[in-house]
Amino acid sequence: RPVGDAGLTAADGAPFRLKTLRGKWALVYFNPLPCAEACRYNLYKMQQVRLAQGRDAPRVERVLIVAGAGGAALREFAQHYPGLLALSGARATLQSLAREFVSSQGTALEVPGRVYLIDPIGNLVLSYAPDADPSGMRKDLARLLRLSQVG
């Protein structure tokens, strides 16, 4: 499913458009603040899955989208998780965007904890349950990177 081009705000306060991610694979995680232990573990999993791609790791972005976060909270994430794109936006924008990230349990904001994978063209390809095995995520991503002619 195609993912729309939502206007968000980056950790440095600059506007950020999701279309900026085009050309790369993106692991996307929605979470409200504060980031509890499960949230921190999923961010760690995303980092490890990306690093496990070896020379293909630069083809993958990690994205955290948080609801109701100010600039200070986003900067804190950026400091604790180098390379992580921490983004926030207006409530209406996030609710609209979350409806595009749907699983059988509900939208990304209704059921936080899922990790989503967006392809370089901007399509939602896969989603992983909060308790997903990182080795399975790594294998899926490695296979997609190997077969992909884009990104």
Side-chain angles (χ1 to χ4, degrees), residues 39-85:
C39 167
R40 290 189 300 271
Y41 177 65
N42 276 319
L43 293 176
Y44 173 75
K45 273 195 314 193
M46 289 168 54
Q47 178 182 14
Q48 295 306 103
V49 166
R50 180 185 179 274
L51 290 174
Q53 301 310 315
R55 67 174 189 198
D56 287 329
R59 296 172 61 192
V60 181
E61 288 287 344
R62 295 173 299 129
V63 181
L64 169 67
I65 300 176
V66 293
L74 291 178
R75 283 190 295 280
E76 182 180 330
F77 275 109
Q79 290 173 349
H80 284 82
Y81 299 95
L84 176 71
L85 277 169

Side-chain angles (χ1 to χ4, degrees), residues 3-146:
V3 175
D5 182 29
L8 302 169
T9 304
D12 62 1
F16 186 90
R17 305 292 301 186
L18 277 183
K19 71 179 177 182
T20 307
L21 296 172
R22 301 272 164 89
K24 291 199 174 210
W25 292 86
L27 291 167
V28 180
Y29 185 71
F30 284 80
N31 199 76
L33 289 181
C35 186
E37 187 171 334
C39 167
R40 290 189 300 271
Y41 177 65
N42 276 319
L43 293 176
Y44 173 75
K45 273 195 314 193
M46 289 168 54
Q47 178 182 14
Q48 295 306 103
V49 166
R50 180 185 179 274
L51 290 174
Q53 301 310 315
R55 67 174 189 198
D56 287 329
R59 296 172 61 192
V60 181
E61 288 287 344
R62 295 173 299 129
V63 181
L64 169 67
I65 300 176
V66 293
L74 291 178
R75 283 190 295 280
E76 182 180 330
F77 275 109
Q79 290 173 349
H80 284 82
Y81 299 95
L84 176 71
L85 277 169
L87 306 170
S88 186
R91 178 177 291 286
T93 301
L94 293 178
Q95 287 174 340
S96 175
L97 180 61
R99 284 192 288 276
E100 297 180 33
F101 291 83
V102 177
S103 68
S104 59
Q105 290 84 26
T107 70
L109 290 178
E110 294 169 346
V111 186
R114 295 189 74 83
V115 176
Y116 300 89
L117 180 65
I118 299 175
D119 71 9
I121 302 170
N123 296 311
L124 176 61
V125 178
L126 294 170
S127 74
Y128 297 95
D131 59 351
D133 179 20
S135 68
M137 293 170 66
R138 178 193 57 79
K139 288 177 187 175
D140 288 345
L141 187 54
R143 185 174 298 120
L144 289 167
L145 288 169
R146 186 175 59 249

